[in-house]
Amino acid sequence: QAFLHHTVHLSCYFPNSQKIDVKNLLIIWQKDTKKVVHEVYYGQEKHEHLSPEYINRTKLDMGKWTLELLNAGVEDEGHYQCIIMQKVKEQSEVIHKSECSLHIIANYSQPEIAELHSGELKPNGYLNLSCSSSGGYPEPKEMTWLISHENTTHSTTAHMDVSQDAETKLYNVTSKLNIPVPTKSRTNISCLLHLSKQLGSLVSVPLGI
């Protein structure tokens, strides 16, 4: 996993126990088995077969056998394969292969609650709220509302509208809540955006009614 716009380090650890000279090796990094990401041909970098989006964005550390991919974007997500071949006489034979998958993460903004109703709240009226968060990746799991008064809290899962920006591929999410105006003592309402297991969840500043 890597954060959006950060440098990604893709490992292709090759012990090289025979201490083969790099000048006798071909090293190819591919994405999704069809795009050439980086190519080293007998010690020299080659650029003619590279996919356009990877030109000037990669650097190979021969000591660690790690490929650095600069300024990672959502479109860089996918499956990467590293193939190392050795020149034996006139033939090239594969002596090492390594694979890894890349997942991109972008932080969502803190969820914000907005009041959609106009005018004063009446005891028999309805509370109409929305909660929004933007600029994140990947798509979140769900959004829940937490309604607390005194020592009790109950949660409700509402429909979540999800839109994806055509250029950045980042997601914006909004959820709406429509409930009778609370008549009990002070009520706090928060919304919670559930992300992946690793990222946990984000909570809004509570709204006091």
Side-chain angles (χ1 to χ4, degrees), residues 42-92:
Y42 305 132
Q44 296 292 313
E45 291 196 350
K46 284 186 78 177
H47 301 108
E48 49 264 45
H49 301 134
L50 292 187
S51 256
E53 65 266 42
Y54 293 107
I55 292 170
N56 297 329
R57 284 184 60 215
T58 57
K59 198 165 74 180
L60 189 61
D61 181 333
M62 293 288 197
K64 296 178 183 166
W65 296 96
T66 299
L67 185 74
E68 284 186 15
L69 176 59
L70 308 176
N71 193 20
V74 170
E75 62 283 352
D76 292 319
E77 276 202 321
H79 193 73
Y80 289 80
Q81 186 180 47
C82 146
I83 301 162
I84 299 177
M85 291 179 273
Q86 183 181 7
K87 189 178 185 182
V88 182
K89 295 177 183 160
E90 296 306 308
Q91 299 286 310
S92 296

Side-chain angles (χ1 to χ4, degrees), residues 3 7 11 13 16 23-24 32 43 48-49 65 70 74 89 93 100 108 112 128 132 135 161-162 171 178 201:
F3 278 97
T7 298
S11 175
Y13 182 64
N16 197 10
K23 291 189 174 66
N24 290 324
D32 301 329
E48 49 264 45
H49 301 134
W65 296 96
L70 308 176
V74 170
K89 295 177 183 160
E93 59 181 56
C100 59
Y108 281 85
E112 270 188 48
N128 197 0
S132 304
D161 285 315
V162 180
Y171 289 100
N178 191 272
S201 48

Side-chain angles (χ1 to χ4, degrees), residues 2 14 30 36 40 42 47-48 92 94 99 121 131 141 146 152 164 173 178 205:
F14 173 52
Q30 295 178 324
V36 177
V40 179
Y42 305 132
H47 301 108
E48 49 264 45
S92 296
V94 175
E99 297 184 5
L121 291 174
C131 180
K141 300 252 179 286
L146 303 175
T152 62
Q164 188 177 24
V173 293
N178 191 272
V205 172

Side-chain angles (χ1 to χ4, degrees), residues 13-20:
Y13 182 64
F14 173 52
N16 197 10
S17 53
Q18 297 166 8
K19 302 283 186 286
I20 304 164

Side-chain angles (χ1 to χ4, degrees), residues 174-192:
T174 301
S175 178
K176 291 190 175 146
L177 180 71
N178 191 272
I179 55 168
V181 171
T183 52
K184 297 181 183 172
S185 57
R186 185 173 172 82
T187 298
N188 276 333
I189 299 173
S190 311
C191 76
L192 199 59

Side-chain angles (χ1 to χ4, degrees), residues 140-160:
K141 300 252 179 286
E142 63 178 11
M143 211 176 230
T144 55
W145 291 84
L146 303 175
I147 302 163
S148 321
H149 36 76
E150 290 167 357
N151 298 327
T152 62
T153 298
H154 76 267
S155 67
T156 173
T157 302
H159 171 73
M160 182 172 67

